[in-house]
Amino acid sequence: AKEKGRDNAQFFTPNMTNAVTKKFSFEKEVNDALASEQFYLVYQPKVQMEKDNILGLEVLIRWNHPVKGLVPPADFIPIAEESDLIIKIDEWVIDQALMQLKAWRDQNLSIVPVAVNLSGRHLVSDALVTYISERLSYYGIEGRYLEIEITEGVLLQDIQRCIDVMAELKALNIKISVDDFGTGYSSLSYLKRLPLDILKIDQSFVEECDSHTEDAKICETIIYLARSLELLIVAEGVETAPQVNMLKSLGCEIFQGYFFHKPMKSPLVAKLLIPRAEI
Ligand code: C2E
Ligand code: CA
Ligand code: CA
Ligand code: CA
């Protein structure tokens, strides 16, 4: 029998499904995490040819859970993406990343663009562009210091909406990357319709590009495609020198991966950023 209790927990009757209860507690945990600073950001450099030549930073979220310890994004981002919770999380990420850029600039360091991963749900929402432009002006950071990484699957869902939002982002000088390129179900026709800047070759092709001809051929084809469309190409998940050598021989110049730098907390990044020249 249902009894109306004084406290919220009793709202959930025993015959309510486990899934609903789980969903409720997940939402509460994420909200608690946002409120009590359990999330933090790490930054992974993208380099041009050399380790020291840092072109930009990708922002990756981390969750230091009070009971579960460090929870990887793969364990909570996909669940958050089932609801508007992902928008809350990604707005937090954008805000913190821009705040960090301002802090580095205030420390007189030369800042580089930061790339945030956005869920498709967020990209097509009405809130995105307004939120970004408001935060950029709040921190006094120019749009060219922000990049958006978006996976292919997302782009195919509502292409016209993507085109419209991306046009607004471009008007703010924000760059757009296609993440995990080659793993979606494309139809490549979206590549010419969207105002993209960068293709990121998925880690799964990079992994064996030095040992499997097929993987090398796929990398070569993606690099060629990017070049003909005048897009920059980034190889991600690069872990070994043979991979780097192979990718360089195929014409790739921008790399990201443990071979160069692991994702790291902001104080370590600050040590890699170049002090601005004295005026
Ligand atoms: P992603 O955007 O494809 O990010 C690349 C992942 O590969 C990251 O895992 C990164 O730490 C890892 N990685 C980088 N270099 C190497 C390497 O050399 N070898 C290997 N094995 N891995 C490497 P991470 O940080 O666990 O993130 C996993 C995924 O979670 C990301 O994949 C992205 O889709 C999502 N994610 C992370 N942070 C955010 C966020 O703030 N918002 C959203 N919406 N998604 C995020
Ligand atoms: Ca990414
Ligand atoms: Ca990726
Ligand atoms: Ca990925």
Side-chain angles (χ1 to χ4, degrees):
K2 274 188 208 170
E3 279 180 58
K4 208 177 171 206
R6 251 165 298 176
D7 95 90
N8 281 339
Q10 291 177 7
F11 176 79
F12 289 92
T13 62
N15 59 3
M16 256 185 151
T17 67
N18 201 17
V20 172
T21 316
K22 263 195 183 148
K23 195 166 174 183
F24 173 81
S25 64
F26 177 73
E27 205 173 312
K28 183 176 177 324
E29 283 190 83
V30 169
N31 282 318
D32 287 351
L34 286 165
S36 62
E37 298 180 2
Q38 295 167 26
F39 291 122
Y40 63 93
L41 299 180
V42 290
Y43 301 82
Q44 187 180 32
K46 295 179 198 172
V47 305
Q48 179 147 30
M49 300 305 266
E50 309 287 327
K51 182 177 165 132
D52 294 337
N53 197 6
I54 297 174
L55 284 190
L57 300 164
E58 177 174 2
V59 181
L60 298 156
I61 195 169
R62 296 289 177 263
W63 184 352
N64 192 4
H65 191 283
V67 179
K68 295 172 198 157
L70 199 58
V71 186
D75 288 359
F76 65 94
I77 293 290
I79 311 173
E81 281 178 336
E82 289 169 15
S83 74
D84 283 350
L85 262 188
I86 191 63
I87 297 184
K88 260 194 180 172
I89 295 174
D90 284 340
E91 284 186 345
W92 181 86
V93 172
I94 292 167
D95 177 71
Q96 294 293 304
L98 294 176
M99 186 194 292
Q100 185 62 67
L101 279 183
K102 177 176 164 28
W104 283 328
R105 180 178 265 176
D106 289 348
Q107 292 164 40
N108 220 31
L109 297 169
S110 292
I111 58 172
V112 293
V114 292
V116 296
N117 291 284
L118 282 194
S119 138
R121 183 189 276 269
H122 198 182
L123 183 77
V124 300
S125 80
D126 292 329
L128 180 69
V129 178
T130 319
Y131 183 79
I132 288 179
S133 60
E134 194 276 322
R135 288 289 90 186
L136 284 170
S137 50
Y138 180 82
Y139 292 114
I141 300 292
E142 302 78 10
R144 69 191 160 94
Y145 289 109
L146 188 62
E147 283 175 22
I148 302 297
E149 295 195 6
I150 205 94
T151 53
E152 269 174 288
V154 164
L155 303 176
L156 303 175
Q157 285 164 24
D158 186 348
I159 190 143
Q160 190 52 53
R161 177 72 189 146
C162 287
I163 292 170
D164 295 345
V165 174
M166 285 182 184
E168 291 183 71
L169 294 172
K170 303 300 300 190
L172 295 170
N173 286 320
I174 294 167
K175 293 207 171 55
I176 301 161
S177 283
V178 181
D179 207 348
D180 303 349
F181 186 75
T183 62
Y185 330 82
S186 16
S187 168
L188 294 172
S189 63
Y190 74 88
L191 287 178
K192 62 172 189 191
R193 297 187 58 198
L194 295 169
L196 305 169
D197 301 287
I198 300 155
L199 296 186
K200 296 188 80 175
I201 308 181
D202 192 62
Q203 206 163 308
S204 60
F205 303 120
V206 168
E207 204 175 350
E208 299 190 299
C209 71
D210 59 319
S211 53
H212 285 63
T213 328
E214 294 81 5
D215 293 283
K217 289 228 164 84
I218 291 174
C219 290
E220 184 177 24
T221 305
I222 296 175
I223 292 163
Y224 179 79
L225 178 70
R227 198 172 274 166
S228 18
L229 294 168
E230 298 183 326
L231 302 171
L232 289 179
I233 189 93
V234 176
E236 59 176 352
V238 181
E239 293 180 348
T240 68
Q243 291 169 351
V244 176
N245 293 336
M246 173 56 77
L247 290 160
K248 281 185 179 171
S249 78
L250 298 174
C252 183
E253 296 188 351
I254 310 174
F255 305 95
Q256 202 181 6
Y258 298 166
F259 180 76
F260 296 97
H261 299 278
K262 291 194 169 167
M264 57 198 136
K265 293 187 187 182
S266 59
L268 276 181
V269 181
K271 292 189 179 170
L272 297 174
L273 297 175
I274 300 161
R276 277 191 292 185
E278 304 280 333
I279 303 164

